[in-house]
Amino acid sequence: MKLTPLQKRAERRDRNQSHVDMNLVALIDIFTILIFFLLSSATGVEILASPKAVKLPQSTAETAPRETIVVVVSADEILVDGRRVAGVSEVMGTEGDLIAPLKAELDVLRSSRKVIREENEALSKAVTIMGDKQIPYRLLRKVMYTAARADFTDVSFAVIKKYEAS
């Protein structure tokens, strides 16, 4: 059976045409729900990442955390922004309150952070201490003293917010 050129073209078009129907309404619904979920889950919750080795004390503080340099003091080591600086046993064994490796690391971080606007000067002098609730006060005092010697004048403590039953 010989087909005419018009019939060949029609047959080719029918063969190459895909008959996939997409229901765009269902896709729009899915994307709307997805966007709503992402927007609602990303609102206003600020949490500092806490290492598993550090058990933070509880507090009823209302102040939200800020983005600062974080000094983590666990039972075994002292970390600055995730890098190990010193061991607690060697720090407790030294005389005086200054922790030399911690001060050196804080000085490096302080000098690397350039302040562009004058109103952000206070933020460059802020440090957050995330100390385990079981560490001795003498160790905490050494960390605070060292932070003050490195010219960090705004010291904050990371705590777990205690919710009061109403």
Side-chain angles (χ1 to χ4, degrees):
M1 169 170 154
K2 186 104 170 138
L3 296 177
T4 66
L6 191 58
Q7 289 172 330
K8 285 181 183 177
R9 194 177 321 145
E11 193 174 287
R12 217 180 7 237
R13 187 183 49 194
D14 287 342
R15 187 179 47 217
N16 293 336
Q17 191 177 30
S18 63
H19 295 288
V20 177
D21 271 345
M22 286 186 104
N23 188 354
L24 290 179
V25 174
L27 285 176
I28 292 172
D29 288 345
I30 290 170
F31 284 124
T32 304
I33 291 170
L34 183 65
I35 289 172
F36 178 74
F37 172 74
L38 291 174
L39 288 175
S40 65
S41 66
T43 56
V45 177
E46 295 184 37
I47 298 175
L48 287 173
S50 175
K52 299 223 183 291
V54 177
K55 303 289 185 231
L56 296 175
Q58 290 189 347
S59 172
T60 57
E62 294 294 325
T63 309
R66 297 172 296 176
E67 243 184 78
T68 62
I69 294 173
V70 179
V71 178
V72 178
V73 184
S74 69
D76 303 322
E77 59 190 3
I78 299 173
L79 307 162
V80 176
D81 282 345
R83 289 185 306 279
R84 186 180 190 280
V85 174
V88 170
S89 57
E90 62 195 49
V91 168
M92 293 301 283
T94 60
E95 287 297 318
D97 286 339
L98 186 69
I99 305 170
L102 177 60
K103 183 177 183 320
E105 184 69 23
L106 289 175
D107 285 339
V108 167
L109 287 174
R110 177 100 163 92
S111 65
S112 68
R113 291 187 172 201
K114 300 291 182 209
V115 178
I116 297 170
R117 299 177 69 187
E118 192 172 310
E119 52 266 16
N120 292 338
E121 180 69 29
L123 285 176
S124 72
K125 294 184 177 188
V127 66
T128 301
I129 297 175
M130 189 180 289
D132 192 278
K133 63 182 179 180
Q134 300 297 324
I135 62 170
Y137 175 73
R138 198 175 106 194
L139 176 60
L140 186 60
R141 186 183 73 210
K142 286 183 176 206
V143 172
M144 288 188 303
Y145 178 82
T146 304
R149 288 289 163 217
D151 201 27
F152 285 93
T153 55
D154 185 7
V155 178
S156 302
F157 294 98
V159 293
I160 294 176
K161 185 172 182 174
K162 183 193 309 185
Y163 292 99
E164 297 176 12
S166 50

